[in-house]
Amino acid sequence: MHRSKLSRSILLALGLVSAGGAIAADAGTADTSSSGSHAAPTQLDAMLVTGTRASNRTQFETLAPVDVFTKQDIQSVDSTDLKDVLAQLVPSFVVQRLPMADGQVFVRPATLRGLSPDQTLVLVNGRRFHRSALLGNRGAQAADLAQIPTSAIKRIEVLRDGASAQYGSDAIAGVINIILEDSPGTEITAGYSQYAQGDGASRDFSARTGWALGDYGSLVLFAESSNSDATSRTRQRPDAIAFQAAHPELQVPNPVQRWGQPELESRRVGFNLKANASDTLELYAFGLYSHSDGVSDFNWRNPDTTTGAYRMTSIFPGWNLRSLYPVGFSPQYGNTQNDLQLVAGLRGEITPKLRWDLSASYGSNAIDYSLDNSINASLGPDSPTAFDLGRLTQTEKNANADFNYEWDVAALSKPINVAFGAEFRQETYQVRAGDPASYAVGRGAAAGLEANSNGAPGFSASQAGQWSQRSKAAYVDMEVPLGERWSIGAAGRYEDFSSFGSTVDGKLSARFAITADVALRGTVSTGFRAPTPAQLNTTSTTQGLDTRTLQIFTSGRLSPSDPLAQLLGAKPLTPEESRTASLGLTWRTDIGLSGSVDVYRITLSDRFSQSASFAIPPGTPNPLGYTSVNYFTNDFDTTTTGVDVVGNYLRDLGAGRMTLTLAYNYNQTRVDNGSTSVATNETQRVLFEDRLPEHKGSFTGSWDVGAWSLMARVRYYGKWTDSTGNATGDIYQQFGAMTFLDLAVGYRINEHHSLRVGADNVFDRYPDEATFQASRGLIYSRNAPYDTDGANVYAQYRLTF
């Protein structure tokens, strides 16, 4: 076989047969001549690799909705954080900033179709990307898209459909497949941005270079650096104003604590390799490594009211914390991450109709936490002021054996595509204890001085450990063309987990071409998300501030296997189960207008969450001083209904080319039953139903004319509800709809050099103020589904050769 023929066969067919996902194929324009269509090329004509294992599917021909975002789409968003990029491009994708929310400040939760962050599967080059080591507030443990360098991406494919039968655990809301750049050439980019209020400056640099290895393949190397200053949208706390008035001899900082984005430095490097070992064998490999350091503020401790830290006792005669922190203190929370993903594989063919793919991957995310400007008051004068809080590590190993067979059937004009294979996966979670002082209960605790590092207790020796879970799976996936108009698909997957047993999931799909350019499509499927070793085994401790009393309270989240949790009703965790149905209409025209409308319904049972909080029973040992405790549980059932509308219009305008894109999502989630629907846990019901906007959309227009390119984007977010927790209950506030305008202009100096300047949120719009948080100095809700820092202005220079 000639090498070019092998390359086309492998890249457009063999790469589509991974049990962990589909491998990248080169994007291009579909050949529609066989269908008799003479429609002009549209954005629905890009070749796809996600959601199908057939080698000839375009976006228009898929049996389920898939969004495709090119390098130009990605570069139109001024951010090196992939979560921010997707939030502007994908209508049902929402990401929050969450200032002063412990580890979620740095690993921000992102949701697709309003579901949990870990109910969306993330792939890179079609291979499963590992989870973050962080468990979010509601127990979600998802992949951290921020670890993937945006400058290394060739395109992104987002499958908006349940796909567990094809890809395994987590693919309930959909699949995000990141395709890395594999083309020769060099691109260097330098950018600078800053908010209109003068803070949050970001300095970004990226470099990518690729070589063609003769006729044998390609190698691409990339590196990316980002350095972002903190932002602050804060007023002085009322109690800090009162403290200053009561102590005029002191100089109290204004503000005493900062609400905003953290200070963050990130470095990312990687490679992408494809090489033909022979005429019928190809080697591929890629790797990503990321390192980041960040610092965020915690709540201010008032010397006059924080009695648990500033109390004078006979146990430490003469020791007074005021001598160290006379104007109080705001602990500084540090986060250091190291993230690694390595994949290698071989693929080839037994016959031109039967191809194989063997691969292995290793992924790891390690997070080290630290706390400065703090104290363990129970240790008195022996306490340090800086603490190592410990480390969380998530490690995943995957092995895949995949096959793809084109089965010729005499009664059919085209072959049936049959994919089948097996997967083995192992997840390991590790907790390393922090400094003993970070979790010590000193002798001052007997006199009421608070134990643990104040702000974030370290992981104790009893919390430390290592836990693993193994799974093995087998799958089959078929696509059958029934003449020129009908095509159907069926997929089934069996997966067995060492922690809880096995699950079987299936998917049926169908597509009917009403005309050559209009088609109906629909799917029904079942899905699941397996609990992780971290969710099954770990415990954590957090501290919060009651916004009414301004007193610190300590909450514990226990493992379901913890004896105290079992005493309070905890039971072993089981997988979340889903049933999804969707129906859509997709079209394209010869005037450049294309689009789709898809309605969907997702029912989820045994959804994973934290239980209601329980007071510690009298007489129960409580060495960590918990105010309350909860535990992870299969808590409730929900139904999510929605509609996605996507439209594109491409046409020549004057001497240039105009593109208009509409993307809209309506998404509603309702709690059907479970403990979250009762008054004892009303907060959880409100959060799952109303915490995100039901309406989200964008309208983007771009015009490329000569050396100039102009872009305008309007972003819309519907109303949503927020809450804040207190020791005695919860407070709710509804926020209205918001609309933002983004503008950008680019100029191509010559074939190598280009400039781009722009602004997000041009009119410097802010949402309603969060009145329930005013006592803490916060102005805008930290849980907002959009950036609340105002207008952001940026400039970017790009060199290509």
Side-chain angles (χ1 to χ4, degrees), residues 548-606:
R548 288 170 172 161
T549 66
L550 298 181
Q551 294 298 305
I552 303 297
F553 60 89
T554 303
S555 301
R557 193 265 301 151
L558 307 179
S559 163
S561 61
D562 185 280
L564 176 56
Q566 293 179 341
L567 176 67
L568 297 172
K571 293 180 173 57
L573 294 176
T574 60
E576 298 173 319
E577 303 283 351
S578 70
R579 297 185 303 277
T580 299
S582 67
L583 180 65
L585 177 71
T586 183
W587 67 88
R588 60 185 179 182
T589 70
D590 56 6
I591 61 172
L593 179 65
S594 62
S596 62
V597 177
D598 293 274
V599 296
Y600 57 87
R601 178 184 174 91
I602 306 168
T603 58
L604 270 159
S605 59
D606 297 325

Side-chain angles (χ1 to χ4, degrees), residues 515-565:
T515 71
D517 298 316
V518 180
L520 283 171
R521 61 192 178 194
T523 68
V524 291
S525 65
T526 63
F528 74 102
R529 191 200 66 79
T532 68
Q535 294 163 341
L536 290 165
N537 298 285
T538 63
T539 64
S540 69
T541 301
T542 58
Q543 289 184 331
L545 183 75
D546 190 302
T547 58
R548 288 170 172 161
T549 66
L550 298 181
Q551 294 298 305
I552 303 297
F553 60 89
T554 303
S555 301
R557 193 265 301 151
L558 307 179
S559 163
S561 61
D562 185 280
L564 176 56

Side-chain angles (χ1 to χ4, degrees), residues 146 262 396 398 421 496 529 531 570 594 601 646 773:
E396 300 180 24
N398 277 51
D496 182 75
R529 191 200 66 79
S594 62
R601 178 184 174 91
V646 177
Q773 296 280 0

